[in-house]
Amino acid sequence: MCCASLREAVTDTHARRTMKYICLGYIEPGKFEGMTQVERNAVLDECFEHNDHLRANGNIVDEMGLQPSETAVTLRWKDGKVATTDGPYAETKEQLGGLTILEARDLNHAIQLVSQLPGFRHGLGPIEIRPAADLNEIIKASEQRRRQNTAR
């Protein structure tokens, strides 16, 4: 087996042993703003250092922070057209602050990884973990149906 084939086999085996989880990080309003600049910098530095470690171990697929909830726009379908509302969809105390796509062996492993996040340990807010849905089979079935409809 050549090096490229071996690498593909190892990568394929790794992909089958892990699942992706979407981690939604919420922030309690005022919690971060109530810290001094030194405290905020320390928390951010600790968070980013920890995420560098997770990324190096192949656990973080992607991550992003969000602008404040007051910058959100919520879309709804109403009376046959798009209706927009300024602000977040949910009226909750905590606001969605960011999301991470995490790769883990199973839900327990994802919980273990997330529970070690410095921002979580500093009490900035809760983190919701959801298994990512694999849409590949659903997309393939839809493509087949659409090809069949086009052929008619």
Side-chain angles (χ1 to χ4, degrees):
M1 189 180 279
C2 75
C3 292
S5 298
L6 180 59
R7 186 171 31 252
E8 287 172 16
V10 169
T11 302
D12 189 47
T13 301
H14 174 73
R16 281 182 271 156
R17 289 190 320 227
T18 61
M19 262 187 85
K20 287 186 175 64
Y21 293 88
I22 309 301
C23 304
L24 304 171
Y26 292 87
I27 297 179
E28 293 181 26
K31 186 81 172 185
F32 199 67
E33 295 80 4
M35 296 177 169
T36 66
Q37 187 65 44
V38 171
E39 291 170 326
R40 277 196 299 270
N41 288 343
V43 169
L44 288 172
D45 292 349
E46 190 178 349
C47 289
F48 292 137
E49 182 177 356
H50 184 77
N51 288 359
D52 288 344
H53 173 73
L54 290 176
R55 199 174 300 99
N57 287 332
N59 294 115
I60 289 184
V61 176
D62 203 357
E63 63 184 325
M64 62 193 67
L66 298 175
Q67 295 291 326
S69 62
E70 57 268 8
T71 66
V73 173
T74 301
L75 304 181
R76 289 183 176 76
W77 190 255
K78 188 174 180 179
D79 300 326
K81 58 185 177 182
V82 175
T84 62
T85 306
D86 291 340
Y89 171 72
E91 300 277 337
T92 62
K93 179 180 174 188
E94 293 97 0
Q95 296 298 319
L96 186 59
L99 64 93
T100 300
I101 301 173
L102 191 70
E103 196 155 331
R105 292 184 302 272
D106 55 29
L107 181 58
N108 287 332
H109 185 221
I111 291 170
Q112 176 190 5
L113 293 171
V114 170
S115 67
Q116 296 169 6
L117 293 173
F120 179 69
R121 288 195 340 262
H122 284 283
L124 294 180
I127 299 175
E128 178 180 341
I129 302 172
R130 290 191 199 180
D134 184 355
L135 298 178
N136 289 326
E137 292 302 315
I138 296 170
I139 291 169
K140 285 179 190 174
S142 173
E143 288 170 346
Q144 280 184 325
R145 287 190 304 273
R146 289 179 280 148
R147 276 195 302 273
Q148 289 172 352
N149 289 340
T150 304
R152 291 182 189 167

